[in-house]
Amino acid sequence: MPEASAKSDYVVGVDMGGTKILAGVFNGSMECVGTSKVSTKAQRGLDAVVERIARVVQDSVDEADLSLKQVAGIGIGAPGAVDFPAGTVIFAPNLEGWKDVPLKKALEKQLDVPVFVENDGNIAVLGVHVAELKGKPRNVVGIFVGTGIGGGLIINGELYRGYGHTAGEIGHMVLQVDGPKCGCGNKGCFEALASRTAIFQQIKAAIKDGQKTLLTEILGEDLADLRSGDLRKAIRRGDKFVERVIESAAEYIGIATANLVNVLNPEVVVLGGGVIDALQDEMMSVIVETANDYAMPGAMKGVEIIASKLGDDAGITGAAVLARKEAKKAA
């Protein structure tokens, strides 16, 4: 196969979260042919994280039995505000010291492949819209509940970035004035009330105050290895305390959904991220019921609220969609 045609066939999508970095290689038919994953280890500092992104890209390409020379572009979803044309991460609340980071430039230097950086929520909604909803709905709101809470907006069939490229920061809507402090510096953000970080903090604080829970039996007093899946196990074994915490988070997600439906009136609200992935059965009915309670009369008519089937792959899929689109433009 001549290299020119081989090169145009493959793209890499990277989902860079506060906890882990996932990379996937996609062929011309948008099938994932190789993946790799590492933990983010943000505490090691900026350069170390950039190194880890480069490594996970290399590993995923290696996994697919390819070389970087065959890759047309790399798309990256980064948590926080991103200047898309410059490929700069303006501010990432869940990554210490991430301010005005020239991620595109740093990775292009290391990998010698065109890199396109976008906000992770935008990337995830793009992945769901193209791969799962087949590009059909014209207006979609994505809410992604993981380490933080990301969001993305498809308006009139296109990703909506806003005037300064920071639209869709759904996790930083304030839902409780004087609520818990958020990583962005504000109080009472949606992310500070319903993200995995917020849920874990609430559980750990309650245990410190003497709350009994099956989680300490499963994982020990310090809950060092706590995962979203452990919450599901505890609820299914009858842990009423964990059930209440998850129900409260689901109610906040429902309130946020209602606010967004009141403002934007989309056809579809899609929910994703690791927390929804692990706790879909426990949360979705509460989210839908609460959204209907808080939405303006008539606003919910015909609006679908669904959980994404792409799960953890929404990020890498959307990043690959972006890389494919941008690499074509540049060709």
Side-chain angles (χ1 to χ4, degrees):
M1 186 194 246
E3 195 165 291
S5 65
K7 192 168 177 70
S8 63
D9 264 358
Y10 297 100
V11 289
V12 178
V14 179
D15 181 12
M16 179 191 153
T19 311
K20 66 175 186 302
I21 306 163
L22 184 64
V25 182
F26 290 77
N27 65 15
S29 312
M30 282 308 287
E31 293 161 331
C32 189
V33 293
T35 60
S36 182
K37 181 163 83 170
V38 292
S39 49
T40 309
K41 302 206 183 292
Q43 73 279 7
R44 291 190 185 175
L46 198 76
D47 293 345
V49 176
V50 173
E51 282 289 337
R52 292 174 83 74
I53 298 168
R55 195 176 92 207
V56 84
V57 168
Q58 289 269 20
D59 289 350
S60 65
V61 171
D62 199 37
E63 184 71 26
D65 291 326
L66 298 166
S67 81
L68 278 169
K69 287 187 171 68
Q70 290 167 280
V71 174
I74 298 163
I76 297 185
V82 171
D83 178 345
F84 174 69
T88 301
V89 179
I90 300 163
F91 172 58
N94 294 313
L95 295 171
E96 210 172 307
W98 277 63
K99 275 189 180 163
D100 299 319
V101 177
L103 192 56
K104 174 182 169 77
K105 206 167 147 192
L107 285 168
E108 284 182 344
K109 194 176 167 190
Q110 282 204 37
L111 299 168
D112 198 26
V113 176
V115 173
F116 309 99
V117 185
E118 179 55 276
N119 166 270
D120 59 353
N122 288 354
I123 284 280
V125 82
L126 199 58
V128 170
H129 187 241
V130 172
E132 194 172 344
L133 304 174
K134 307 300 175 208
K136 285 192 181 118
R138 302 290 295 157
N139 300 289
V140 180
V141 169
I143 302 173
F144 302 97
V145 187
T147 309
I149 293 180
L153 308 171
I154 301 282
I155 294 180
N156 294 328
E158 293 291 329
L159 185 61
Y160 180 72
R161 291 188 173 103
Y163 169 62
H165 307 286
T166 63
E169 282 295 344
I170 285 166
H172 299 287
M173 293 192 291
V174 175
L175 297 185
Q176 192 187 93
V177 178
D178 294 334
K181 196 150 196 280
C182 180
C184 74
N186 276 344
K187 282 183 174 179
C189 289
F190 178 24
E191 183 172 293
L193 297 161
S195 64
R196 178 168 50 233
T197 307
I199 291 166
F200 286 7
Q201 277 171 352
Q202 285 167 37
I203 288 169
K204 286 174 180 175
I207 289 168
K208 240 186 189 155
D209 289 342
Q211 175 66 50
K212 292 276 175 274
T213 166
L214 289 173
L215 290 173
T216 49
E217 286 174 33
I218 301 169
L219 297 161
E221 285 300 318
D222 62 351
L223 303 184
D225 293 321
L226 185 59
R227 300 279 180 274
S228 302
D230 298 317
L231 306 181
R232 183 181 63 234
K233 279 180 210 153
I235 291 169
R236 290 186 183 171
R237 282 171 56 182
D239 192 319
K240 292 291 176 212
F241 160 66
V242 175
E243 193 178 325
R244 277 199 309 276
V245 172
I246 292 306
E247 197 168 307
S248 162
E251 282 171 358
Y252 278 117
I253 297 167
I255 292 166
T257 299
N259 284 340
L260 292 159
V261 169
N262 286 345
V263 173
L264 295 166
N265 189 225
E267 289 152 75
V268 180
V269 177
V270 66
L271 293 146
V275 172
I276 300 292
D277 227 19
L279 292 150
Q280 184 179 328
D281 294 346
E282 288 71 21
M283 295 180 103
M284 282 305 289
S285 59
V286 178
I287 292 168
V288 172
E289 195 182 319
T290 309
N292 279 300
D293 286 348
Y294 279 81
M296 209 173 61
M300 276 289 180
K301 191 171 166 46
V303 177
E304 273 189 279
I305 301 172
I306 60 168
S308 168
K309 290 185 179 69
L310 278 181
D312 242 7
D313 289 345
I316 57 171
T317 307
V321 168
L322 178 80
R324 168 91 63 231
K325 211 166 146 185
E326 295 300 322
K328 260 188 191 148
K329 273 188 209 168

